[in-house]
Amino acid sequence: MMIDVEKTILDDVIDIGAFLDGVDIVSFNEESFVAATGESPSVEGARKLLDLGPHTVVITRGAHGALAAKRGEVAVAPYSAVSRTRVEPVAAPFGSV
């Protein structure tokens, strides 16, 4: 099972270990990671969460990129700006409106 943890969900969570029990992949943004762990997003913090059961922890860090950790493996991806692409409208097919 995969869950994307939002800070508001954590307001009702007393035991993060019990919350993550049975979860395979868990994803956090910076704010929810701090709410869950009490520390800034880091490789060490992700490893602590791995000890609670999930086999993969993903943390998106806004302009600082993202990181993903599995037991024995860590991947850190830098932020990459995405350019805007103009999308041209297409006429409706077969006379539909």
Side-chain angles (χ1 to χ4, degrees), residues 1-38:
M1 170 175 34
M2 190 256 183
I3 61 170
D4 180 23
V5 179
E6 297 295 328
K7 181 184 178 296
T8 54
I9 292 172
L10 294 170
D11 292 341
D12 297 325
V13 173
I14 296 170
D15 179 1
I16 191 71
F19 179 72
L20 295 177
D21 186 39
V23 174
D24 298 310
I25 302 169
V26 62
S27 173
F28 296 89
N29 62 23
E30 288 178 290
E31 185 180 38
S32 62
F33 186 86
V34 171
T37 65

Side-chain angles (χ1 to χ4, degrees), residues 2 5 11-12 21 37 39 47 59-60 68 75-76 84 87 95 97:
M2 190 256 183
V5 179
D11 292 341
D12 297 325
D21 186 39
T37 65
E39 58 185 74
R47 286 184 175 139
I59 307 166
T60 58
V76 178
R84 292 181 174 219
V87 177
V97 179

Side-chain angles (χ1 to χ4, degrees), residues 43 46-47 50 67-76:
V43 171
R47 286 184 175 139
L50 289 172
L67 69 88
K70 292 171 55 170
R71 296 194 196 295
E73 294 180 61
V74 174
V76 178

Side-chain angles (χ1 to χ4, degrees), residues 47-89:
R47 286 184 175 139
K48 289 178 187 176
L49 289 175
L50 289 172
D51 291 339
L52 298 177
H55 70 69
T56 304
V57 174
V58 177
I59 307 166
T60 58
R61 303 181 303 158
H64 301 286
L67 69 88
K70 292 171 55 170
R71 296 194 196 295
E73 294 180 61
V74 174
V76 178
Y79 170 77
S80 178
V82 177
S83 63
R84 292 181 174 219
T85 302
R86 181 178 165 90
V87 177
E88 296 293 329

